[in-house]
C-alpha cells in the first residue's frame, strides 16, 4: 500500500476489489445498458439519472471512476464536472457524448477529463477504455510517488498530468497551462521543454504581469538603436533568445490588446520585426503560455482576443491547486526540505502533528507558498524534529484552518476595511501626522496585498481594484518588487 494518503475522492485501489464505477445520465435506457455492459466483465457499476443527486456519493469517495454524458437536462456534463472539481474532489472522470466537437474536446481536456469518447462507440471499446483507466488507477494506488523534471507527486490527477506532458512534449503543438498563482505552472512548462526534442535549446521565460506595458513589446521582439528614448543600442528580444527552443509566456492574459494582435501575427506567420527596425525575422520557438485567469471569460468580456485564444488553446491542461491534492502536502514538504538542505546539515523530521497542520492549511499561495515555508524552516530550524509550534504563525491561526468553524472567517487576502486594523494598529496612526499615517497605511496595504498575491502585481492590482498602471507606480514608489518586498 502506498505510504501516501489518496487524494480526496480517490481511494486506495490496492485494497479494493472489484472497482466501483458510477454512470451519470438522464436517459434510463442508456443507464441500464451501460451498467449491464460493465457488469458483463465483472465491473461493479451504478447509475444515477440526476447529476445533483450523484454529488454526495462522489464526494464520499464511494467510486473509483465516474462516467458522464455531455448533454443532460438538469445541467450539462461540463457543469457537473465543474461542481465535482469545485469542492476539491479529484475522482477520475470519463465523458461519452454524441455531440462532440473540437471545442468540447478541448474543454474536456481543460477540466481534466481522463478520457473523452464520441459516439458511435462499440461496447467492447467502452469496456477496454474503462478497464485501462481502472488498471492505471490500480497501479497508481500501489506505486511510489513519481517525478517529472523538478515536479513530484503521488496524486492520481497529477500523475495523469505527467502522462499528458509526456504525450504533448514531443510534438510542436502550442500548450496552454491554466491554474492558480503558485500552483506550479512554470515547473510544468519547464517539464514540457525538458521532455521535448528541444531540451538542449534555450528555455526562455517572460512574466507578462511583471513588465510595464510600455516595455513589453521591446522585451518580446527586441529593439533597434534609437527606436525610442533610452534605446542607445540594439537589443534582441525573447523570441530571438529562444531560438529553436521554448518561449514560456507566463500570465499571458495581462497582455494589452495591441500586444495581443502582434503576438497573433507571429503565431500565424512566424515572422516579426524588432521595434524601430525593418528587418523581417523568423521565429522557430515553441510557445507555451500560462494564466491564472479564465481566458474564455476574458474573451466574453472583450479583454482578450478570441482569435488569439484559439491559437493558444491547442493543447491545454488545468493544474489543480494544492488544496485539491492534500495528499501531496507531506510529500512536497519533505521533498523541499531535502532540496534546500542538500546535505549541508542533518535533515530534521516533521512530526505527524506538524504534517497534519500543514495538510489542514488552505495554502492560498499553493506550492510556492509551501516551498517558501519549508525554506524558512530549512534556514532557521535547529532541532531534530519540526513541531507544529515551529511553523509560521499564519498557518497556526484559526482563520487558516480547513474544515473548522473558524474557516469561514475573512482571510488575510481580503484586504479591505475589515482588514485595516491588521495592517496598522490604530494607536500608530494617531501618533503620526495625517500625511505620514496615510503613507504608512499605503505601504502596509501594498505589502500585504502583494504578499497575498504571491508577488503577482497584476493579481494584486485586481484585488485592490486599482488600475494596473496606477498600482505599479504606487508599488514602485514604496520600493516594492514583483516578489512582494524590496
Amino acid at each position: 500500500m502506498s505510504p501516501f494518503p489518496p487524494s480526496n475522492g480517490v481511494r486506495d485501489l490496492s485494497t479494493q476489489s472489484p472497482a466501483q464505477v458510477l454512470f451519470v445520465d438522464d436517459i434510463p435506457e442508456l443507464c441500464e445498458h451501460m451498467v449491464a455492459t460493465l457488469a458483463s466483465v465483472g465491473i461493479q457499476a451504478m447509475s444515477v439519472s440526476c447529476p445533483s443527486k450523484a454529488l454526495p456519493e462522489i464526494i464520499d469517495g464511494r467510486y473509483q471512476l465516474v462516467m458522464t454524458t455531455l448533454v443532460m437536462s438538469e445541467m450539462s456534463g461540463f457543469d457537473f464536472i465543474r461542481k465535482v472539481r469545485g469542492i476539491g474532489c479529484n475522482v477520475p472522470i470519463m465523458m461519452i457524448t454524441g455531440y462532440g466537437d473540437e471545442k468540447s474536446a478541448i474543454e474536456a481536456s481543460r477540466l481534466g477529463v481522463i478520457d473523452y469518447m464520441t459516439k458511435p462507440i462499440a461496447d467492447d471499446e467502452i469496456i477496454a477504455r474503462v478497464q485501462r483507466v481502472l488498471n492505471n488507477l490500480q497501479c497508481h494506488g500501489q506505486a511510489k510517488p513519481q517525478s517529472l523534471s523538478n515536479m513530484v507527486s503521488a496524486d492520481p490527477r497529477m500523475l495523469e498530468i505527467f502522462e499528458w506532458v509526456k504525450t504533448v512534449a514531443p510534438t510542436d503543438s502550442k500548450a496552454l497551462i491554466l491554474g492558480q498563482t503558485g500552483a506550479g505552472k512554470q515547473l510544468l512548462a519547464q517539464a514540457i521543454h525538458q521532455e521535448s526534442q528541444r531540451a538542449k535549446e534555450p528555455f526562455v521565460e517572460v512574466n507578462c504581469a511583471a513588465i510595464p506595458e510600455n516595455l513589453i513589446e521591446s522585451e518580446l521582439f527586441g529593439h533597434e538603436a534609437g527606436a525610442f528614448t533610452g534605446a542607445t543600442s540594439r537589443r534582441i528580444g525573447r523570441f530571438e533568445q529562444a531560438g529553436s527552443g521554448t518561449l514560456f509566456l507566463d500570465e499571458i492574459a495581462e497582455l494589452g490588446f495591441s500586444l495581443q494582435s502582434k503576438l497573433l501575427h507571429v503565431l500565424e506567420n512566424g515572422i516579426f520585426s524588432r521595434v524601430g527596425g525593418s528587418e523581417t525575422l523568423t521565429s522557430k520557438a515553441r510557445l507555451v503560455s500560462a494564466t491564472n485567469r479564465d481566458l474564455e471569460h476574458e474573451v466574453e468580456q472583450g479583454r482578450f482576443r478570441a482569435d488569439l485564444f484559439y491559437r493558444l488553446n491547442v493543447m491545454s491542461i488545468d493544474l489543480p491547486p494544492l488544496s485539491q491534492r492534500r495528499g501531496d502536502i507531506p510529500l512536497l514538504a519533505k521533498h523541499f526540505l531535502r532540496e534546500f538542505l542538500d546535505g549541508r546539515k542533518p535533515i530534521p523530521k516533521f512530526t505527524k502533528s506538524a504534517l497534519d497542520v500543514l495538510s489542514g492549511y488552505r495554502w492560498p499561495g499553493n506550492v510556492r507558498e509551501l516551498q517558501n515555508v519549508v525554506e524558512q524552516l530549512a534556514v532557521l530550524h535547529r532541532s531534530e524534529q519540526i513541531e507544529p509550534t515551529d511553523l509560521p504563525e499564519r498557518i497556526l491561526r484559526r482563520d487558516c484552518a480547513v474544515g473548522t468553524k473558524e474557516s469561514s472567517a475573512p482571510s488575510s487576502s481580503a484586504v479591505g476595511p475589515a482588514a485595516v486594523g491588521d495592517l496598522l494598529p490604530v494607536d500608530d496612526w494617531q501618533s503620526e501626522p495625517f500625511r505620514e499615517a496615510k503613507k504608512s497605511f499605503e505601504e502596509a496595504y501594498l505589502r500585504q496585498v502583494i504578499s497575498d498575491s504571491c508577488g503577482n502585481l497584476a493579481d494584486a492590482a485586481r484585488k485592490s481594484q486599482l488600475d494596473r498602471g496606477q498600482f505599479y507606480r504606487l508599488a514602485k514608489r514604496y520600493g516594492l518588487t514583483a516578489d512582494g518586498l524590496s
Side-chain angles (χ1 to χ4, degrees), residues 30-329:
L30 181 57
C31 288
E32 291 176 7
H33 176 77
M34 188 62 66
V35 169
T37 298
L38 296 177
S40 68
V41 292
I43 298 175
Q44 287 192 0
M46 299 286 291
S47 66
V48 175
S49 59
C50 181
S52 61
K53 291 182 179 179
L55 290 172
E57 295 185 358
I58 294 172
I59 294 169
D60 286 344
R62 298 183 189 180
Y63 301 99
Q64 286 74 60
L65 176 64
V66 173
M67 302 176 69
T68 183
T69 55
L70 177 58
V71 179
M72 294 180 284
S73 58
E74 183 186 22
M75 67 180 76
S76 73
F78 288 151
D79 288 338
F80 171 66
I81 294 171
R82 291 187 187 100
K83 286 183 179 294
V84 173
R85 298 297 186 228
I87 46 84
C89 184
N90 294 331
V91 60
I93 299 176
M94 299 176 70
M95 176 170 279
I96 181 170
T97 178
Y99 302 90
D101 55 24
E102 183 179 357
K103 185 176 180 181
S104 62
I106 291 173
E107 178 64 9
S109 174
R110 191 183 76 81
L111 292 173
V113 170
I114 201 168
D115 198 356
Y116 177 85
M117 298 173 281
T118 56
K119 297 178 183 178
I121 182 169
D123 289 348
D124 289 345
E125 178 69 11
I126 292 175
I127 291 171
R129 292 168 81 156
V130 169
Q131 287 179 328
R132 182 184 65 188
V133 170
L134 292 175
N135 288 339
N136 286 339
L137 292 174
Q138 178 76 23
C139 292
H140 290 162
Q142 295 174 337
K144 294 181 180 180
Q146 296 185 24
S147 62
L148 180 71
S149 187
N150 291 321
M151 305 180 74
V152 60
S153 178
D155 181 83
R157 188 171 171 188
M158 286 299 296
L159 298 183
E160 290 297 329
I161 291 176
F162 287 2
E163 292 300 319
W164 178 88
V165 169
K166 293 175 183 178
T167 301
V168 170
T171 73
D172 289 328
S173 298
K174 301 172 187 65
L176 175 63
I177 305 171
L178 307 170
Q180 295 179 6
T181 298
K185 299 190 292 295
Q186 179 194 40
L187 289 176
L188 198 62
Q190 290 175 335
I192 292 173
H193 176 72
Q194 291 297 327
E195 294 291 322
S196 74
Q197 297 176 349
R198 304 170 184 258
K200 295 182 180 179
E201 302 294 331
F203 176 84
V204 177
E205 178 184 356
V206 181
N207 187 332
C208 301
I211 303 172
E213 193 169 353
N214 61 327
L215 297 179
I216 187 69
E217 182 177 2
S218 171
E219 189 73 23
L220 289 177
F221 306 121
H223 63 253
E224 298 287 352
F228 49 83
T229 303
T232 57
S233 60
R234 170 186 286 181
R235 179 186 176 187
I236 67 171
R238 299 302 180 93
F239 270 97
E240 285 184 81
Q241 291 177 17
S244 298
T246 301
L247 178 63
F248 175 48
L249 298 184
D250 197 8
E251 304 301 348
I252 196 169
E254 307 305 327
L255 289 179
F257 244 70
S258 175
L259 253 297
Q260 291 178 29
S261 300
K262 293 176 181 178
L263 178 59
L264 178 64
H265 178 75
V266 179
L267 298 183
E268 289 180 335
N269 304 302
I271 58 175
F272 65 97
S273 297
R274 301 186 190 98
V275 177
S278 57
E279 180 184 0
T280 299
L281 304 172
T282 301
S283 171
K284 297 181 180 179
R286 178 192 194 166
L287 185 69
V288 177
S289 53
T291 181
N292 60 5
R293 294 207 211 177
D294 183 341
L295 280 188
E296 285 193 81
H297 179 71
E298 295 299 303
V299 170
E300 292 171 359
Q301 296 299 312
R303 293 190 290 262
F304 200 84
R305 292 182 62 112
D307 43 8
L308 177 58
F309 169 65
Y310 294 127
R311 280 282 177 181
L312 297 172
N313 196 28
V314 178
M315 300 298 296
S316 65
I317 195 70
D318 200 344
L319 194 58
L322 188 57
S323 60
Q324 291 184 13
R325 44 189 175 105
R326 295 191 177 277
D328 274 351
I329 293 174

Side-chain angles (χ1 to χ4, degrees), residues 241-477:
Q241 291 177 17
S244 298
T246 301
L247 178 63
F248 175 48
L249 298 184
D250 197 8
E251 304 301 348
I252 196 169
E254 307 305 327
L255 289 179
F257 244 70
S258 175
L259 253 297
Q260 291 178 29
S261 300
K262 293 176 181 178
L263 178 59
L264 178 64
H265 178 75
V266 179
L267 298 183
E268 289 180 335
N269 304 302
I271 58 175
F272 65 97
S273 297
R274 301 186 190 98
V275 177
S278 57
E279 180 184 0
T280 299
L281 304 172
T282 301
S283 171
K284 297 181 180 179
R286 178 192 194 166
L287 185 69
V288 177
S289 53
T291 181
N292 60 5
R293 294 207 211 177
D294 183 341
L295 280 188
E296 285 193 81
H297 179 71
E298 295 299 303
V299 170
E300 292 171 359
Q301 296 299 312
R303 293 190 290 262
F304 200 84
R305 292 182 62 112
D307 43 8
L308 177 58
F309 169 65
Y310 294 127
R311 280 282 177 181
L312 297 172
N313 196 28
V314 178
M315 300 298 296
S316 65
I317 195 70
D318 200 344
L319 194 58
L322 188 57
S323 60
Q324 291 184 13
R325 44 189 175 105
R326 295 191 177 277
D328 274 351
I329 293 174
L331 167 66
L332 289 170
K334 296 172 185 177
H335 168 74
F336 291 141
L337 194 59
R338 289 192 300 268
E339 189 177 68
F340 286 126
L341 290 176
D342 194 24
R344 293 193 301 270
K345 64 178 183 179
I347 300 175
K349 293 184 178 180
F350 288 95
T351 63
K352 183 182 182 302
S353 54
L355 290 175
D356 288 342
V357 172
L358 290 175
S359 297
Y361 178 61
R362 292 181 300 112
W363 298 111
N366 286 293
V367 178
R368 185 184 301 161
E369 184 182 6
L370 174 60
Q371 188 175 24
N372 291 342
V373 167
V374 175
E375 182 177 7
Q376 179 182 343
L377 292 170
V379 173
L380 300 178
H381 196 70
R382 293 291 179 266
S383 61
E384 295 180 354
Q385 287 190 325
I386 298 175
E387 302 284 354
T389 52
D390 299 317
L391 302 175
E393 182 181 352
R394 72 177 186 278
I395 294 179
L396 299 173
R397 284 205 308 257
R398 59 186 176 86
D399 62 335
C400 291
V402 173
T404 65
K405 294 181 180 180
E406 291 84 355
S407 63
S408 60
S411 70
S412 60
S413 62
V415 182
V420 167
D422 295 331
L423 295 173
L424 275 179
V426 175
D427 290 343
D428 289 347
W429 296 344
Q430 292 173 347
S431 64
E432 295 183 357
F434 174 77
R435 289 186 179 179
E436 294 303 317
K438 180 183 177 184
K439 289 180 181 178
S440 298
F441 170 79
E442 282 185 345
E443 181 177 358
Y445 179 97
L446 292 169
R447 284 180 182 273
Q448 182 164 331
V449 76
I450 290 173
S451 175
D452 290 341
S453 300
C454 299
N456 186 324
L457 293 183
D459 187 45
R462 284 196 300 274
K463 286 181 179 178
S464 61
Q465 298 183 14
L466 290 175
D467 174 75
R468 179 181 166 189
Q470 180 186 5
F471 187 91
Y472 184 85
R473 288 191 293 273
L474 279 171
K476 187 176 180 181
R477 178 188 302 171

